[in-house]
Amino acid sequence: MIANYGCEDGSGIYYIRIDTGKCGDCQLRGCVGGCPQELFVIEEDDWGDEMAVVREDRRRTLQAVCAACKPQDRPPDPLPCQSACDRQAIEHTW
Amino acid sequence: MADRNIEKVEYWRWEESRWQNPEITDWRGSLVTAGVDIGSTSTQAAIMADGKLYAYASIRTGSNSPSSAVDAMNWALAGTDLTPEDLRYTVGTGYGRVNVPFADSTVTEITCHAKGANYIYGPTVRTLLDMGGQDCKAIHCDENGAVTSFMMNDKCAAGTGRGMEVIANLLAVHVEDIGEMSFRIDAEPPPVSSICVIFAKTEATNLMRSGWSKEKVLAAYCHAMALRVARLLERNEMRLDFAITGGIAKNSGVVKRIERLIGAEALRTDYDAQIAGALGAALMGKALYEKKGGKPR
């Protein structure tokens, strides 16, 4: 499943996309410690499988939260969360 | 000064409803499961017997979510000879899912709406648009109603049922009449703000002052709402067949404009599309009960 966490507002479209098909059998959970903003947590999905999700209280403010990792002049590629995910399951839409 | 006895009409109030399947005369021997969907503005309870819809009720969510869940379930049970003890497994869903006091478990509304749409519209549904009271979700699912992707936007009430209720009150038009009224126009007007319901409300007020008819303002608002959700659909890719659930599915003014924007017709149903979440929850209840090795009574 492709899970898009985030929102759209007047300034743009801000979603973090997690491919749960890649994420589901990961044991390392690199995203949890790899994001400097501590955006990712592990939760059980509706079928009892553990998945990484974006914290619910941050989903409407991703633009601001992720700004620290995305300086406009030279954003790192890949981003820290993407580097930490060895399954390459994380994408940003902006 | 003489008292002015002015009756305050709540134009946003939509009609609560209950339905019972006349084809099911005896549920005994069946696995009876239930789902309760507590949304921000409405609460539904659905009861299924062996995976077939038996009864449902749809009411407004009050200030107390647990009592809304109880009220909806009691109304769904009324008229059947079921008692709460006959419900083998109950699933809570919706934003208030943790507030269903008699639920055996909770499931997200994304999963439940996909399951419910699969039941209501059939296995050909691939893209589902759930237009709820305070958010909007674009969901993809497979032929079994399993979610393959989702995207939601809940940052603003524009594009939601609550936004429509605000406009209904502003223009003094009953919310159930908006869809039909919005087509009584000569030409489609440009949309009002699709980003913020407060801006949309201000724009609507100014348009009325400038001489626009209520019908034209409603058309502009329905157009804006359709634009907003069409963008959400496009971002999450559009796959046919396409269906809409949630209260806004009953508003032809929005539905037909969405269809025009995306170039595809939404599937139609005789079911109340607002019960998809509760219905899906009841189906999930059956699946979870059976997964746990339960046997029907």
Side-chain angles (χ1 to χ4, degrees):
Chain A
M1 181 174 76
I2 307 296
N4 291 279
Y5 300 102
C7 67
E8 175 194 355
D9 62 19
S11 65
I13 300 157
Y14 311 102
Y15 286 94
I16 290 179
R17 184 171 289 161
I18 300 177
D19 185 337
T20 61
K22 295 177 181 174
C23 169
D25 57 352
C26 171
Q27 302 298 316
L28 294 176
R29 313 295 193 203
C31 56
V32 176
C35 170
Q37 310 304 319
E38 300 176 344
L39 265 182
F40 300 92
V41 290
I42 304 298
E43 286 184 1
E44 273 193 7
D45 69 6
D46 292 331
W47 302 101
D49 299 321
E50 290 193 333
M51 299 285 170
V53 302
V54 174
R55 278 172 51 178
E56 197 161 357
D57 60 340
R58 302 286 181 89
R59 292 176 193 170
R60 294 183 190 174
T61 53
L62 288 184
Q63 180 199 17
V65 174
C66 294
C69 293
K70 291 184 168 188
Q72 285 196 333
D73 55 343
R74 203 172 53 187
D77 184 22
L79 293 161
C81 57
Q82 292 171 322
S83 301
C85 173
D86 70 336
R87 303 299 170 102
Q88 297 179 312
I90 300 172
E91 285 179 37
H92 288 220
T93 63
W94 79 106
Chain B
M1 185 190 276
D3 282 347
R4 296 178 65 203
N5 192 9
I6 299 172
E7 187 187 353
K8 189 172 178 356
V9 180
E10 292 176 309
Y11 292 96
W12 60 270
R13 278 194 180 270
W14 42 269
E15 195 176 340
E16 298 180 330
S17 61
R18 181 189 179 276
W19 177 86
Q20 186 172 332
N21 190 342
E23 291 174 8
I24 299 178
T25 52
D26 189 5
W27 54 269
R28 285 168 187 79
S30 305
L31 171 57
V32 180
T33 58
V36 179
D37 180 3
I38 303 187
S40 57
T41 55
S42 71
T43 296
Q44 288 80 30
I47 302 167
M48 304 196 84
D50 279 341
K52 196 170 181 187
L53 184 59
Y54 183 22
Y56 69 76
S58 177
I59 66 170
R60 285 178 289 276
T61 302
S63 55
N64 183 323
S65 293
S67 67
S68 295
V70 171
D71 291 348
M73 184 53 76
N74 284 343
W75 201 24
L77 288 168
T80 71
D81 54 355
L82 285 164
T83 65
E85 290 71 36
D86 295 320
L87 304 176
R88 286 295 189 167
Y89 203 95
T90 302
V91 167
T93 189
Y95 99 108
R97 58 185 174 272
V98 296
N99 292 317
V100 181
F102 48 88
D104 295 294
S105 65
T106 60
V107 174
T108 62
E109 62 269 36
I110 293 164
T111 297
C112 289
H113 271 273
K115 282 279 177 204
N118 180 270
Y119 182 94
I120 289 174
Y121 294 104
T124 62
V125 177
R126 291 293 174 277
T127 299
L128 175 65
L129 180 64
D130 170 36
M131 299 184 72
Q134 285 186 2
D135 67 21
C136 187
K137 307 175 196 76
I139 302 167
H140 286 157
C141 58
D142 64 16
E143 68 277 9
N144 300 312
V147 178
T148 54
S149 80
F150 71 86
M151 180 178 270
M152 68 184 285
N153 197 9
D154 63 354
K155 193 159 184 179
C156 176
T160 69
R162 184 60 197 141
M164 193 58 84
E165 290 176 356
V166 167
I167 293 297
N169 259 3
L170 175 72
L171 300 181
V173 173
H174 285 287
V175 72
E176 286 150 342
D177 299 332
I178 286 177
E180 191 266 325
M181 270 183 79
S182 74
F183 289 113
R184 287 191 228 142
I185 48 170
D186 297 327
E188 185 75 6
V192 294
S193 168
S194 63
I195 296 299
C196 172
V197 76
I198 303 299
F199 291 163
K201 192 177 171 186
T202 307
E203 273 187 70
T205 307
N206 289 337
L207 290 169
M208 289 292 286
R209 281 192 191 133
S210 70
W212 281 33
S213 66
K214 281 185 186 181
E215 288 82 355
K216 197 171 172 184
V217 175
L218 288 174
Y221 188 75
C222 288
H223 188 175
M225 188 178 270
L227 264 178
R228 182 181 169 107
V229 296
R231 282 201 299 262
L232 189 69
L233 283 172
E234 283 164 9
R235 267 195 296 286
N236 202 31
E237 293 178 29
M238 181 67 203
R239 295 173 200 162
L240 297 177
D241 287 343
F242 158 65
I244 305 177
T245 59
I248 298 289
K250 300 174 190 173
N251 184 321
S252 61
V254 177
V255 171
K256 287 181 181 171
R257 286 178 174 89
I258 293 170
E259 291 175 333
R260 205 181 295 160
L261 286 165
I262 64 173
E265 269 196 21
L267 296 174
R268 300 291 196 263
T269 179
D270 291 331
Y271 287 98
D272 180 347
Q274 205 167 355
I275 65 153
L279 204 162
L283 285 168
M284 286 295 293
K286 181 174 184 287
L288 291 170
Y289 183 77
E290 289 171 347
K291 188 180 174 186
K292 290 177 180 174
K295 296 269 189 263
R297 184 177 288 177

